[in-house]
Amino acid sequence: MPERRTVALVTLGCARNEVDSEELAGRLEADGWQLVEDAADADVAVVNTCGFVEAAKKDSVDALLEANDLKDHGRTQAVVAVGCMAERYGKELAQALPEADGVLGFDDYADISDRLQTILSGGIHAAHTPRDRRKLLPISPAERQESAAAVALPGHGPTDLPEGVAPASGPRAPLRRRLDGSPVASVKLASGCDRRCSFCAIPSFRGSFISRRPSDVLNETRWLAEQGVKEIMLVSENNTSYGKDLGDIRLLESLLPNLADVDGIERVRVSYLQPAEMRPGLIDVLTSTPKVVPYFDLSFQHSAPDVLRAMRRFGDTDRFLELLDTIRSKAPEAGVRSNFIVGFPGESESDLAELERFLNGARLDAIGVFGYSDEEGTEAATYENKLDEDVVAERLAHISRLAEELVSQRAEERVGQTVHVLVESVDAEEGVYGRAEHQAPETDGQVLLTSGEGLSVGRMVEAKVVGTEGVDLVAEPLTGSPVCTEEAGR
């Protein structure tokens, strides 16, 4: 019997990329490939790249070069680039990085097994020519669903597959294969974005906004629960737009309670929310539905009106603070995080001071700060009133220091509170770590539990916050607290 072909997936970037990698894994395993964790043990290393900002693109190139080095002293015979950077640059990336044996775009995902076999056999699959993916679907959201079947939408793999076609426990399984044993998994609500922020190139290579059908999201959540997942995080480029192409902009409000009712799911988290699209009904559902955590990942980006208008965005400091007041009037301990860009073209000292005013009043749990840099193909790249690089760097350092201080203060406000912690790692030397309701994976800090007796990965435990370490919390499990008895892998 011939030895099975082996493949490793190396994922960079956001949670959306993680979902795409698991769909690719499902397709490959269904076609007979053996999935391995370490690229050094694989015939083919597939690097799922990020193409959002320069730092992410550099990380993607470094990962491709690192995988290529394995060809000299490991089993690896081929290195293939997929993901956003591969889709965005196509032939240009292939020419600039000959170390990659293949550069595959989203249109190649449905035939990923054949593409990898061709490359592994020494053949060549021509890198694609990038195109504006916004033009692949109708301008009117109401007309998009009929055209969706003809467009590659990573992470929108079908559900209700026959048994045996994909790694599945039943006919409702998605075309997806989990790549780790974490009790947390992301689920795609939609792909693409209809917003036209002047600094962002994502819509051009991810395409126009298109929702997944609620039944697919629900079926995938059920399947993930069967795999031991306790928390799902709903992801897309803009979750507040979910359902607009299905005829119901309030579809998320009706879907969330159904997801929370799935057996085995302990926590539902919604990410990527647009402040300008927040509505009272959605806030109500996010703050009052059992198992749906009051967590608000709000994309503010700035708070000075002139900067926001130049970004093609809406709002200002006072309106944003009013939104946060509304949220906290319904859920006082709600978690809120956001990202901000400083040094945007035309940003004045008074604009920066306005951003500081907002940050000081917002009491955010987590803050990401980025210095502006031109992104190819964006409107902002054509602006003339650019700030000097040293000015951008100075403002980035200043706001970053402020952000670090503010999130530490916010963490200290939680001392004495009771939190529900999902245990994610248990180590005899390092200790027991998990996350509270206000903390999303990887971005918002974590909770160190002072005692790990009787705890295992996937358990939910009630604990009292007794200290902080920057943005992280230290919490003591409460004696006799209700602890979920099911383990993540059971």
Side-chain angles (χ1 to χ4, degrees):
M1 183 175 179
E3 188 176 5
R4 293 183 71 186
R5 304 161 295 177
T6 55
V7 60
L9 287 112
V10 180
T11 306
L12 295 97
C14 64
R16 301 183 294 273
N17 256 15
E18 295 172 5
V19 176
D20 296 350
S21 285
E22 293 197 349
E23 182 186 300
L24 290 174
R27 291 183 183 277
L28 290 166
E29 188 169 74
D31 203 46
W33 290 77
Q34 180 181 349
L35 297 164
V36 296
E37 291 186 13
D38 193 336
D41 299 328
D43 297 319
V44 183
V46 177
V47 180
N48 192 348
T49 62
C50 179
F52 181 39
V53 294
E54 285 303 319
K57 287 183 278 190
K58 182 182 183 301
D59 289 344
S60 295
V61 170
D62 289 345
L64 287 163
L65 293 175
E66 183 178 341
N68 182 70
D69 289 342
L70 297 174
K71 291 192 289 187
D72 295 330
H73 50 264
R75 172 170 178 160
T76 309
Q77 301 174 51
V79 176
V80 175
V82 299
C84 291
M85 189 175 180
E87 173 64 36
R88 184 176 181 183
Y89 295 104
K91 291 182 178 180
E92 182 182 342
L93 177 61
Q95 293 169 358
L97 198 68
E99 291 85 354
D101 299 286
V103 175
L104 305 181
F106 297 151
D107 293 333
D108 293 306
Y109 281 22
D111 300 308
I112 186 67
S113 178
D114 290 342
R115 300 287 187 264
L116 296 191
Q117 185 58 58
T118 295
I119 294 167
L120 184 60
S121 300
I124 297 175
H125 181 75
H128 75 108
T129 300
R131 52 182 172 168
D132 189 340
R133 297 191 72 86
R134 290 172 293 191
K135 298 178 181 179
L136 302 183
L137 291 168
I139 294 177
S140 170
E143 299 175 4
R144 289 178 189 165
Q145 290 290 330
E146 294 181 3
S147 306
V151 177
L153 298 169
H156 288 232
T159 56
D160 296 317
L161 296 166
E163 290 189 48
V165 173
S169 58
R172 66 178 174 224
L175 186 57
R176 177 173 181 174
R177 200 273 200 183
R178 298 219 66 207
L179 293 174
D180 62 39
S182 170
V184 184
S186 296
V187 177
K188 270 199 179 182
L189 270 186
S191 285
C193 186
D194 287 343
R195 301 185 70 86
R196 294 296 178 262
C197 301
S198 63
F199 57 83
C200 184
I202 288 177
S204 66
F205 56 85
R206 276 290 185 179
S208 298
F209 185 90
I210 186 161
S211 304
R212 295 182 70 196
R213 295 192 175 277
S215 57
D216 286 346
V217 177
L218 191 56
N219 283 342
E220 187 164 334
T221 299
R222 288 172 177 150
W223 178 79
L224 288 167
E226 291 174 354
Q227 309 304 303
V229 169
K230 300 301 180 185
E231 175 180 330
I232 61 164
M233 184 167 72
L234 301 178
V235 300
S236 75
E237 278 73 21
N238 178 10
N239 282 336
T240 34
S241 284
Y242 179 68
K244 72 175 186 178
D245 52 322
L246 294 171
D248 185 0
I249 192 60
R250 297 176 183 83
L251 198 54
L252 183 55
E253 286 94 308
S254 59
L255 175 61
L256 284 171
N258 292 330
L259 295 173
D261 284 342
V262 171
D263 288 342
I265 295 298
E266 297 291 335
R267 184 182 283 173
V268 178
R269 184 182 305 277
V270 183
S271 60
Y272 304 111
L273 300 169
Q274 286 292 337
E277 297 181 33
M278 290 300 294
R279 47 196 180 269
L282 180 56
I283 294 174
D284 287 342
V285 171
L286 288 171
T287 55
S288 65
T289 307
K291 296 187 179 180
V292 175
V293 295
Y295 175 80
F296 294 81
D297 176 10
L298 294 163
S299 177
F300 289 120
Q301 301 300 344
H302 212 284
S303 71
D306 289 345
V307 176
L308 287 168
R309 301 307 172 267
M311 289 178 169
R312 303 291 184 196
R313 297 177 66 83
F314 306 94
D316 56 48
T317 296
D318 292 332
R319 274 189 278 183
F320 289 164
L321 291 176
E322 288 174 7
L323 172 60
L324 295 178
D325 285 344
T326 298
I327 290 169
R328 289 174 175 139
S329 70
K330 299 175 182 295
E333 306 309 328
V336 186
R337 81 167 321 275
S338 191
N339 293 325
F340 299 88
I341 298 173
V342 296
F344 194 79
E347 181 190 62
S348 65
E349 291 284 356
S350 61
D351 291 330
L352 194 67
E354 186 69 2
L355 175 58
E356 290 188 53
R357 182 169 80 89
F358 172 70
L359 291 174
N360 279 300
R363 297 170 56 231
L364 302 178
D365 292 279
I367 301 171
V369 187
F370 302 88
Y372 173 82
S373 62
D374 285 339
E375 271 297 307
E376 180 184 351
T378 63
E379 180 184 357
T382 69
Y383 290 175
E384 296 181 354
N385 50 348
K386 306 279 178 61
L387 283 79
D388 291 339
E389 289 185 6
D390 58 343
V391 174
V392 175
E394 181 182 343
R395 293 183 180 185
L396 173 61
H398 172 65
I399 296 298
S400 295
R401 287 193 297 270
L402 175 63
E404 184 175 354
E405 178 183 340
L406 291 173
V407 297
S408 295
Q409 291 176 4
R410 177 62 178 143
E412 290 171 1
E413 292 178 18
R414 296 189 180 274
V415 173
Q417 294 179 4
T418 298
V419 293
H420 292 87
V421 180
L422 176 62
V423 177
E424 292 187 315
S425 68
V426 177
D427 186 277
E429 296 183 0
E430 305 251 336
V432 179
Y433 284 89
R435 286 178 302 100
E437 292 182 332
H438 69 281
Q439 297 169 317
E442 299 184 7
T443 60
D444 301 344
Q446 55 189 347
V447 179
L448 169 63
L449 293 172
T450 59
S451 171
E453 184 177 357
L455 299 181
S456 57
V457 172
R459 301 282 286 271
M460 193 76 74
V461 59
E462 193 174 42
K464 181 179 180 180
V465 180
V466 296
T468 65
E469 296 178 359
V471 70
D472 298 329
L473 304 181
V474 179
E476 179 181 339
L478 296 178
T479 304
S481 67
V483 177
C484 179
T485 57
E486 293 182 343
E487 295 182 8
R490 186 175 294 175

